[in-house]
Amino acid sequence: MQTVAAALDRLGELAASPTVARLAAAFEAGGHELALVGGPVRDAFLGRPVSDLDFTTDATPDEILAIVKPIAEAHWDIGRAFGTIGAKIAGETVEITTYRADSYDGASRKPEVVFGSSLEGDLTRRDFTVNALALRLPQLTLVDPSGGVEDLVAGVLRTPATPEQSFGDDPLRMLRAARFSSQLGFTLDDDTRAAMSTLAGAIERISAERVRDELSKLLLTGSPRGGIRLLVESGLAERVLPELPALSLEIDEHHHHKDVYEHSLTVLDQAIDYEVSRGNLDSPDLIVRLAALLHDIGKPATRRLEPGGVVSFHHHDVVGAKLARKRLRDLRFDNDTIAAVSRLIELHLRFFGYADAAWSDSAVRRYVRDAGEQLERLHILTRADVTTRNRRKADRLGFAYDDLEARIAVLAEEEELAAVRPELDGQQIMALLDVPPGPVVGEAYRFLLELRLDEGPIGADAAAERLRAWWAARGPAA
């Protein structure tokens, strides 16, 4: 947290930049107010990088367009219905929004847009006091009607209005509270936390797409664990991601197993560490983090109490993959993300057999083939899934996975393993067997693929000879 003087100096430097200075001059010349608002002002106080430039004004969307057109390289009005105009000015992208006074009618999934008349009124309708800060331009006057600077110093999230009113106006703000608690490392004040629990059911008024976006932003923070805990403890997770609180399985005195909920949070933490340290993915990676958080959601449905105090979760990988696919589909995630996350969950146990007995080259090839494009993410998830406090066991698993990755690298160099495919394609199969397109071609292709996985590259001539032998043994009429 920077001092007020240091933050104002940073904001002064920002206001002097070509983009902000040009905008401020244009709005002043047009007889309208303009203020830098929200995240950029907050981050100046926190010493964080300022990326997005958000402005607010008393000008209507039409008036905003008239002001920015002469000075913008490009402009767009996709958010016009909500009072927002976007533009690119002096090489930077900005958004300018008319003063707002949104409210919900208690039933609609979208806010009713009502334009406001003052900067102070606009700020008091925002989600949290730390985001209800503005810098009037070009005067460089800080506007803080709700004590946001004091809350920044204290590291507290609090709503400008009562939390009941704020969350009633937009229930999505409860999810934003969880996200900002992780993103900023802040705690919620008692009234705000209590209101989240009381009003948790109101989140069902919010569209799945908005919930999805906010959950994704939470997972993409540097340390999402605290925000996830807040969702579970408030009851919000029960409404938007019920598989998560279900991981808190009852543990009786006779049957012992690790706390699956705590284990999942630890796996998420460790997956983030691997994601960053390995450096093979663009970080943050949403697919890795979703898979880490959800990898054991099949356990509640498969939990069995066995004789001798053992708890089993047979096939929880397969069940979990199905549950994840359904939940992510309900949250309107895209098909590629759904497929990737569910595949990782389905495969996350595959490695543990390797630690007990080294695999053949054939088994290693199958591991790579089945992972496909998700291989690096599977490496991360599998390593992160080792949370045992038994150092000898953890080291044994770590060394085993090091060995597996080394073997994959060697085989990949020898065989172009990432693109394992039969040495004859469909056209060659049809010509060799003198068959038309149909199921038999797929059957032959699978035979050749298994041959390739079992024995590695044997050459097209040898593959053709083996295919003829398979065909003769199978019989065309089979």
Side-chain angles (χ1 to χ4, degrees), residues 145-226:
S146 306
V149 172
E150 288 84 351
D151 288 342
L152 281 173
V153 172
V156 170
L157 284 177
R158 182 172 58 86
T159 56
T162 66
E164 291 78 12
Q165 178 182 338
S166 182
F167 296 157
D169 282 346
D170 187 354
L172 189 71
R173 289 172 174 171
M174 294 185 286
L175 296 188
R176 287 170 63 83
R179 191 242 297 184
F180 281 121
S181 71
S182 285
Q183 181 177 319
L184 304 177
F186 284 11
T187 58
L188 271 65
D189 81 316
D190 291 342
D191 290 343
T192 303
R193 182 182 289 271
M196 285 178 66
S197 297
T198 302
L199 300 175
I203 198 65
E204 295 177 3
R205 292 176 12 216
I206 303 301
S207 69
E209 290 82 359
R210 295 184 73 208
V211 170
R212 173 203 64 208
D213 290 348
E214 202 56 53
L215 287 174
S216 298
K217 290 176 182 177
L218 166 58
L219 281 174
L220 293 173
T221 62
S223 180
R225 185 185 189 115

Side-chain angles (χ1 to χ4, degrees), residues 3 113 130 135 153 218 266 352 386 393 431 448 462 466:
T3 65
V113 177
V130 297
L135 184 73
V153 172
L218 166 58
T266 300
F352 291 95
V386 179
K393 181 178 180 182
L448 290 173
R466 298 284 285 275

Side-chain angles (χ1 to χ4, degrees), residues 235-303:
L236 279 162
E238 184 66 40
R239 309 281 182 163
V240 300
L241 199 61
E243 294 80 5
L244 203 55
L247 293 176
S248 297
L249 302 174
E250 180 183 353
I251 303 176
D252 64 38
E253 59 181 314
H254 302 295
H255 295 84
H256 304 285
H257 60 83
K258 67 180 69 176
D259 185 322
V260 183
Y261 170 63
E262 291 296 331
H263 165 74
S264 297
L265 294 181
T266 300
V267 172
L268 175 60
D269 288 341
Q270 295 186 167
I272 292 171
D273 289 342
Y274 281 121
E275 171 195 299
V276 174
S277 64
R278 288 172 66 94
N280 296 327
L281 296 173
D282 291 335
S283 182
D285 188 275
L286 182 61
I287 290 172
V288 163
R289 299 179 184 205
L290 281 168
L293 183 64
L294 304 179
H295 76 285
D296 273 347
I297 61 173
K299 281 190 170 179
T302 58
R303 180 172 180 255

